[in-house]
Amino acid sequence: MPELPEVQTTASGLQSVLPGKIVTNVWTDWPKMFRGDTLAKFKKETAGRKVVSVKRRGKHILINLSGDTTIIIHMKMTGHLLYGKWQIKNKKWVPAQSGPLNDPFNRFVHAVFSLSNGKHLAFSDTRKFGKIVLGKTNTLSHSPHLAHLGPEPLEKSFDYEVFAGRLLKKPRGKIKTVLMDQTVIAGIGNIYSDEMLWRAGIHPETKVGLIKVPDLGKLFIAMKEVLNGGIEFGGDSMSDYRNIFGEKGHFQEKHHAYQKKGERCEKRGCGGIIERKIVGGRSAHFCPKHQNNKR
């Protein structure tokens, strides 16, 4: 599932190309994606509206349109947004030009927004779990799709005190699970939680209330470093994710824990072997040697 760095990379990319463009039409072969609205209603609410800005909230893309209307998109497990020119061939949308948009992972197009410049915003989603809904721009914070989200971890106001306070709302929870709880902190998922716990030397099953203050401090720093690193490297494309131009990110080349089961730990002087186990229904990858503070 795309996490904060992938969603931020997408939002930044769309912000560079969409403002000023007008939505002229919407197509889908999977109406269930438009939760709560019929396609006809969705088209009526968006047609003729100009894109004002594109932002991110948690794992959601927010495309703000004129007329106090926002398109809220959650890419879920396998979705990603693509920008370019498409055409229909053999009843399928395909890129009208050669290049990265022709990556096989970009071929599962189930929604297309036609734009006033003759280009398109396409939503490719292998498993069709994605969500596209409408909200009122001026009251987005109260939207049922966003109101439950915790604070943004990369905002300047999100300092160590806020970080520790958020985690300690669930002192008996396992740290891996609590980090991924979107009501606690928005945007962190499986990949980046593994990487920040590896950096901080904290076992994924450690209960939050038993983590020592110095270790919480290390985790806070690791969180900022890992998330900013994910953005710097254009997101993680170990699976389906691609940026708006169909290109892979490169954070998967920087993994130290995620999907490294059976490999030697890369921490200097450690020598442990990365293990994998299920924590809270999700996979966790960690080094049992230097992340050995499970309590």
Side-chain angles (χ1 to χ4, degrees), residues 102-117:
N102 290 280
D103 183 309
F105 278 102
N106 298 331
R107 72 184 187 275
F108 304 99
V109 174
H110 296 296
V112 176
F113 295 82
S114 297
L115 304 170
S116 56
N117 64 346

Side-chain angles (χ1 to χ4, degrees), residues 67-235:
D68 192 33
T69 299
T70 294
I71 301 172
I72 304 170
I73 301 177
H74 195 306
M75 298 187 284
K76 294 294 183 176
M77 291 184 67
T78 59
H80 54 278
L81 289 160
L82 301 161
Y83 176 79
K85 190 170 180 61
W86 268 259
Q87 58 188 351
I88 297 178
K89 284 188 176 181
N90 299 321
K91 298 182 180 181
K92 291 186 178 181
W93 287 85
V94 297
Q97 66 280 332
S98 60
L101 288 176
N102 290 280
D103 183 309
F105 278 102
N106 298 331
R107 72 184 187 275
F108 304 99
V109 174
H110 296 296
V112 176
F113 295 82
S114 297
L115 304 170
S116 56
N117 64 346
K119 293 191 175 182
H120 304 91
L121 177 62
F123 188 35
S124 176
D125 187 2
T126 308
R127 300 186 67 179
K128 298 192 286 191
F129 289 158
K131 176 179 72 175
I132 304 176
V133 297
L134 291 175
K136 293 293 184 182
T137 307
N138 289 332
T139 57
L140 270 185
S141 61
H142 302 295
S143 164
H145 305 284
L146 305 174
H148 66 287
L149 296 174
E152 292 290 335
L154 293 183
E155 288 188 350
K156 289 183 179 180
S157 60
F158 194 85
D159 57 17
Y160 170 77
E161 285 71 24
V162 175
F163 171 73
R166 298 301 298 180
L167 293 183
L168 288 169
K169 286 181 175 292
K170 298 198 173 184
R172 300 179 67 180
K174 296 175 181 178
I175 185 60
K176 164 83 173 179
T177 303
V178 175
L179 281 171
M180 295 194 299
D181 187 332
Q182 299 304 294
T183 68
V184 176
I185 301 172
I188 300 173
N190 218 24
I191 297 172
Y192 294 94
S193 58
D194 275 356
E195 293 300 314
M196 59 185 68
L197 288 170
W198 180 90
R199 285 198 184 204
I202 298 173
H203 193 285
E205 291 185 305
T206 305
K207 291 183 179 180
V208 172
L210 298 179
I211 300 176
K212 295 179 180 179
V213 171
D215 289 335
L216 271 183
K218 292 178 183 177
L219 182 57
F220 174 71
I221 294 170
M223 177 197 68
K224 297 277 190 177
E225 291 177 344
V226 168
L227 293 177
N228 280 315
I231 295 170
E232 179 183 353
F233 289 105

